Each structure stands twice: as C-alpha cells, then as structure tokens.
Amino acid sequence: MNTTLQDEYQVKRRVTLVCAGINLLLTALKLVIGTVGQSQALIADGIHSLSDLATDAMVLVAIRFARDEADAEHPYGHARFETVATLILGLMLLFVAAGIVVDAAERITNPDRLSHPGFLALLGAAISIAANEWMYWYNVRVARKLGSDLIRANAWHHRSDAVSSIIVLLGVAGSMAGYPALDAVGAIGVSLLIAKIGWSLGWSGVRELVDTGATAQQLEEIGRTIQEVEGVEAFHELKTRRMGQALLVEVHVMVESQVTVSEGHMIGDRVRVHLVEAYEYISEVLVHID
C-alpha cells in the first residue's frame, strides 16, 4: 500500500475512533438521563447513539478493507467495501427509525405510559445537540479533504443525531409546559428524520452497486475534455461506473484513418492522462481507438 493510501486510512481511522468514543459517552448519558429524567424521546435518542457505535465499528472495518490495493480477485481495488458499508448504514437507520415509531405510537395510544420529563432531560438533549453538531463538522472536513463518501455519510449520521436531539429538546420542553404527549411526538419526529437520511444513504449505495454512471453534467465535462485532446476527431460509447469515491471511464475515440497504430495509442494515452489530471474523481480510463 502506498503512502497516500496509508495516510488516508490513518485519518479516517482517527476521525472514526474519536466519534466512536464520543458516541459511547452520549449513549450512556442519554440512556441514564432519559431514564432518570423520564423522557421517552431522550431514551430513543440514546438508542440511536447506541446504533452509532455499531456503525462506527462498521466504518472502521470498511476503511480497513477499502485501503487495500487491487489484486487478482479485485482488479479494480476494494473501494466498494465502503459502498457496502454505506448501504448497511442506511438500512440500520431505517430499522432504528421504525423501532422508535412503534414504541412512541404505543405510548400515545396509552396515555398512562406517557413520560413526564424535567429539566435534567432538557440538559441531556442540549449536550447531545452540541456534541453531535461538532462531530458532524469534524467528519465533513475530513470527507472533503479525502473525498470519502463513507465519511460524508457518517457525518450526516451525526447531523441526524443533532437534529433529532433538537426535536427531543422541543418535545421535552412541551411536556414540561403541560403537554406530555409532545415527548412521544418528538420521538416520532426523530424517527422520520432518521428514516429520510437512511433511505438517502441506502439508495445511494444501491445505485453504485448496480453500476449507475456519472451525472449528466459530469458526462458533458468529460466529453468536452476528450474532444479537446489533440488528434481526437470524435468519440462515442462513453461509459462510466462508480467504484467507491472514484469514477471508472471507458470510451471509443475516433482518429484519422492514416494515423499509425503507434500514433493511435499515443492519442489514447493523451486522452487518459488529460482525464485523470483534469478530474480528481476519475481513477481509471480505458480508451479504444477507432
């Protein structure tokens, strides 16, 4: 493994371990305060943080395998380990959301089961908001630096926690004001946000695994760059597929009929070099000379 991949792995590992440690503390804090402070919404939020620990562990496993270079069994590398982890992450969020909805709905239909949270629960929600928002920005900075969709997905996972804790805060405040059902309603609100993000992440992973190509804008940019290469008369059958955070490109390039085989290969090499240098997200280019 080259130095760049090793450095990226260390950065991803560090950010994930830091957030895992914070999530462990938040899980204990919210479950204890939610139980003592009688807030169903905060307990649900604690369970959500517990799921974060599992996803953090999954991220660590994914980035461990994704850093491995190409081999005989994986000629395009191991980047899709990150994709699979992102998909599982989305599915876990959907399951967590469903569990919260069921529990909250049962409490609303049975008023005797409604909780009556106090100031302690309010404080727990506020701490959770601050911690998760910090983790969101920490992960976003790393994701932008490395171009990692998995770290970006985990960042949004932390943002979902921050938003859900805001809903918990409002639910607890409403319950303290004399509307006990608002704590359970807040728990349902948390679940809807979690489900939305889970669906988005899961669908993104599915699209990559079924070889969804580049966007229309990316295809236009790639085509324009190919056409600008000296010796290229035209091109066709431009195909792309995603491999983790990278894009694989295949294209047929047409050259003048009197061009020799050697010259044709040189034009193909220029196309490949131009694309890889122009776009950081392109890792491999296969050029067919016509």
Side-chain angles (χ1 to χ4, degrees):
M1 184 176 59
N2 61 45
T3 303
T4 300
L5 288 176
Q6 176 66 28
D7 291 343
E8 288 188 6
Y9 168 69
Q10 293 298 335
V11 172
K12 290 179 180 179
R13 183 174 182 272
R14 182 169 60 251
V15 66
T16 305
L17 285 174
V18 168
C19 292
I22 294 174
N23 276 324
L24 179 61
L25 293 174
L26 284 177
T27 297
L29 180 72
K30 287 190 277 191
L31 290 177
V32 171
I33 292 180
T35 301
V36 175
Q38 299 185 45
S39 172
Q40 182 209 2
L42 192 58
I43 292 174
D45 212 22
I47 295 172
H48 186 195
S49 291
L50 184 61
S51 74
D52 291 347
L53 286 173
T55 57
D56 285 337
M58 190 165 49
V59 169
L60 286 171
V61 172
I63 61 177
R64 166 61 185 84
F65 285 104
R67 68 175 178 155
D68 293 341
E69 297 179 339
D71 54 31
E73 293 185 349
H74 305 89
Y76 290 102
H78 300 74
R80 280 192 174 167
F81 277 97
E82 286 199 15
T83 306
V84 172
T86 302
L87 174 59
I88 296 174
L89 177 60
L91 292 175
M92 287 186 67
L93 287 175
L94 289 173
F95 282 121
V96 169
I100 294 173
V101 168
V102 170
D103 185 59
E106 289 179 352
R107 288 178 181 269
I108 290 175
T109 55
N110 295 276
D112 292 340
R113 294 186 58 200
L114 288 174
S115 303
H116 301 277
F119 177 77
L120 188 61
L122 204 65
L123 179 62
I127 293 173
S128 177
I129 293 169
N132 280 296
E133 189 64 13
W134 182 86
M135 286 191 289
Y136 166 76
W137 286 109
Y138 181 33
N139 278 265
V140 163
R141 285 194 297 272
V142 173
R144 287 174 179 170
K145 179 180 179 181
L146 303 181
S148 172
D149 288 337
L150 181 60
I151 298 298
R152 186 174 292 107
N154 218 26
W156 279 103
H157 194 182
H158 295 307
R159 169 56 65 85
S160 76
D161 288 348
V163 174
S164 69
S165 294
I166 291 174
I167 296 175
V168 171
L169 187 74
L170 295 175
V172 170
S175 182
M176 291 173 65
Y179 303 93
L182 286 182
D183 185 60
V185 171
I188 293 177
V190 170
S191 69
L192 295 178
L193 287 172
I194 297 170
K196 181 179 183 299
I197 295 171
W199 172 261
S200 176
L201 296 178
W203 180 239
S204 175
V206 169
R207 282 171 57 82
E208 183 177 330
L209 290 176
V210 297
D211 282 341
T212 300
T215 65
Q217 180 181 351
Q218 288 175 326
L219 288 174
E220 183 180 349
E221 293 173 347
I222 292 170
R224 187 166 55 248
T225 301
I226 293 173
Q227 197 65 60
E228 291 172 353
V229 176
E230 182 182 355
V232 174
E233 294 295 310
F235 69 91
H236 61 104
E237 294 189 42
L238 174 59
K239 301 176 183 178
T240 62
R241 66 166 68 175
R242 298 193 176 280
M243 183 66 66
Q245 63 199 39
L247 196 66
L248 308 182
V249 178
E250 181 179 355
V251 64
H252 287 248
V253 170
M254 299 182 67
V255 299
E256 293 183 355
S257 57
Q258 64 268 30
V259 168
T260 66
V261 173
S262 178
E263 291 172 334
H265 280 296
M266 289 178 63
I267 293 172
D269 287 340
R270 285 201 295 268
V271 170
R272 181 183 61 79
V273 171
H274 272 64
L275 288 176
V276 171
E277 290 183 348
Y279 307 103
E280 291 184 359
Y281 55 80
I282 294 180
S283 63
E284 294 285 346
V285 180
L286 177 62
V287 181
H288 302 275
I289 300 297
D290 294 340

